[in-house]
Amino acid sequence: MNLIDRITAIYQKTFGYVPAHIIRAPGRVNLLGEHVDYNDGFVLPAAIDRATYVAFSPTDAPHSMLVAVDFDQQATFSSDSIPTKVQADSLPLPEWGLYPAGVMWALMEEGLPVLSMNAVFASEVPRGSGLSSSASVEMAFLLAWQTLGGWTLPPMQRALLGQKAENRYVGVNCGIMDQFASACGVEDRLLLLDCRSLAWKTVPLPEHVAIVIADTTVRRKLTSGEYNKRRAACEEAVRLLQQDLPHIQALRDVSVEEFNRLAGKLPAEIERRARHVVEEIERAKQAEALLEAGDVRNFGRLMNECHVSLRDLYEVSCLELDVMVDIAQSLEGCYGARLTGAGFGGCTVNLVARDCADAFARRLADDFHSRTGLQPPIYITFPSNGAELIK
Ligand code: GLA
């Protein structure tokens, strides 16, 4: 049974009637520009063909009731219980409930009407894997409340509210990339976003290549703590560099030459973090011209460089990610391979010649298994549309 049929059946069993609506909101994979969104840099993600689905209807009850199929749990909350992160019965919200509740909080802050709903949701986006399962849940519920509320926000506005929910309600100081990709995805296209101006365009994925995602199955530990630390290190670098470059607002404003000249003034760890960001923004700037020209070889080289930088300078890789990348780069047809998303575990993204993709996926899984004992799910994925009402 596919996921839509499954959540529809569970909805009907739980609430006794058919859901009025169904929404699909995708996860994302990022090809280049990692850990630069919160430094005003450029990112190149795509929404993927794996998504979170929510079946829902309005209700006259004073609270919303959500069933999380993946956790086999339910939670209730209302505008009264939202600020204190508790359920209608005063029990604390389960962790998964913070994402929809955070979205409701952000919408209430905007002064938008947020109607009570009954909802059942489930996801094909593996959690903690670097594919933005949380952003997909946020974008799904934002669109669900929009569908019931009689108001319309443009996709980028919805992305910004999802980011606000995650920053201020869930407590992860993430950038805009994940919510943006889940809200604004375009079928068959990569998305190039300027995270300062929020201007974006689509860029072609050359026809003869496939995007292959390989899941190490290692799940992030301590992520939000480590993530927030990386962000703080970047802010510290800006503060220190401002002594020589008073005009800078973010690491985006520092050229590679300026950075090389001033790097010696930074403490060693801050220097490594900032160097990754400055050089990665430079790499991401080259992406558009390379992809427009169909130059996958040089684009793939930038992906490989990105992995080394995330491993050695930003220090967000782990043994299993390094093994997965190492194997991938040795296989026929692989142009580039690197960890994707925040890191500390999760998935790699690989750009592979289309006619080699099946063999690549098999070999990668086998070799990774023999080196680590882990069985990695491997997906050949396609850029998909952003969050949408499908019923
Ligand atoms: C997470 C965050 C994003 C971005 C990436 C790293 O996915 O949610 O905003 O910072 O990590 O590029």
Side-chain angles (χ1 to χ4, degrees):
M1 199 193 277
N2 74 28
L3 207 50
I4 298 176
D5 293 343
R6 215 168 136 225
I7 58 171
T8 305
I10 295 174
Y11 189 100
Q12 206 160 353
K13 200 160 158 233
T14 310
F15 298 108
Y17 57 92
V18 181
H21 302 290
I22 295 178
I23 273 165
R24 165 193 171 278
R28 65 101 189 89
V29 67
N30 186 25
L31 275 87
L32 208 60
E34 209 67 272
H35 284 283
V36 301
D37 58 351
Y38 50 85
N39 292 291
D40 282 359
F42 298 86
V43 294
L44 188 74
I48 57 175
D49 55 352
R50 300 178 79 86
T52 295
Y53 293 87
V54 50
F56 63 101
S57 311
T59 166
D60 292 334
H63 52 255
S64 290
M65 176 163 153
L66 271 47
V67 176
V69 174
D70 300 333
F71 296 85
D72 200 14
Q73 285 180 2
Q74 58 191 51
T76 53
F77 51 78
S78 65
S79 48
D80 294 339
S81 70
I82 282 286
T84 48
K85 300 186 185 171
V86 294
Q87 303 197 47
D89 58 7
S90 300
L91 284 171
L93 275 175
E95 217 238 315
W96 59 262
L98 292 174
Y99 299 93
V103 161
M104 184 177 188
W105 169 83
L107 291 170
M108 282 163 46
E109 287 260 300
E110 287 301 291
L112 291 164
V114 193
L115 270 55
S116 296
M117 65 163 86
N118 288 329
V120 173
F121 76 104
S123 192
E124 304 160 333
V125 187
R127 280 184 303 282
S129 66
L131 300 178
S132 299
S133 60
S134 13
S136 72
V137 172
E138 290 157 7
M139 291 306 100
F141 278 95
L142 243 152
L143 202 51
W145 272 305
Q146 168 169 306
T147 307
L148 300 183
W151 41 264
T152 306
L153 292 174
M156 182 63 89
Q157 207 55 36
R158 294 201 299 270
L160 287 165
L161 286 178
Q163 183 198 16
K164 180 174 173 184
E166 187 137 350
N167 290 171
R168 308 244 318 262
Y169 197 84
V170 182
V172 179
N173 223 354
C174 66
I176 186 64
M177 171 169 74
D178 305 349
Q179 291 79 8
F180 156 73
S182 182
C184 300
V186 178
E187 200 175 348
D188 289 334
R189 306 284 289 184
L190 304 176
L191 314 169
L192 180 64
L193 171 69
D194 176 339
C195 299
R196 170 169 280 169
S197 67
L198 299 183
W200 63 280
K201 55 168 83 165
T202 70
V203 179
L205 178 69
E207 249 172 40
H208 63 286
V209 292
I211 302 174
V212 182
I213 293 173
D215 188 347
T216 61
T217 70
V218 176
R219 290 299 173 247
R220 312 188 296 221
K221 292 175 211 95
L222 298 170
T223 323
S224 60
E226 284 300 316
Y227 184 90
N228 291 349
K229 271 198 226 161
R230 294 300 182 285
R231 187 162 180 166
C234 295
E235 283 160 12
E236 177 66 1
V238 172
R239 208 180 56 76
L240 293 170
L241 290 168
Q242 272 169 344
Q243 291 164 10
D244 293 279
L245 306 169
H247 63 280
I248 65 169
Q249 301 292 318
L251 287 174
R252 143 83 171 268
D253 302 315
V254 182
S255 69
V256 175
E257 294 70 32
E258 281 168 334
F259 187 77
N260 285 339
R261 183 160 55 79
L262 299 169
K265 296 190 174 184
L266 299 175
E269 186 179 302
I270 304 276
E271 184 201 335
R272 288 199 301 280
R273 307 293 187 252
R275 179 177 296 283
H276 163 75
V277 172
V278 169
E279 292 178 353
E280 178 73 353
I281 291 176
E282 189 50 44
R283 280 189 283 273
K285 278 189 194 162
Q286 297 172 36
E288 184 183 0
L290 291 174
L291 289 169
E292 290 286 357
D295 187 352
V296 238
R297 212 165 283 284
N298 277 312
F299 181 80
R301 188 177 45 74
L302 296 180
M303 290 175 70
N304 294 340
E305 286 175 17
C306 170
H307 185 76
V308 171
S309 180
L310 289 168
R311 184 189 67 199
D312 298 344
L313 299 177
Y314 220 61
E315 296 176 276
V316 293
S317 190
C318 65
L319 177 70
E320 295 82 358
L321 283 166
D322 294 341
V323 169
M324 190 74 92
V325 164
D326 191 46
I327 298 168
Q329 289 174 351
S330 75
L331 296 178
E332 192 188 345
C334 179
Y335 293 107
R338 66 176 198 81
L339 76 83
T340 190
F344 310 104
C347 293
T348 66
V349 58
N350 306 270
L351 207 58
V352 182
R354 197 167 277 280
D355 51 5
C356 296
D358 290 326
F360 171 88
R362 271 196 307 277
R363 276 289 302 278
L364 186 56
D366 289 351
D367 290 4
F368 185 77
H369 181 246
S370 56
R371 276 177 65 178
T372 62
L374 298 167
Q375 294 282 6
I378 313 254
Y379 323 111
I380 298 177
T381 195
F382 300 91
S384 86
N385 282 330
E388 57 197 340
L389 183 67
I390 55 179
K391 176 188 163 187

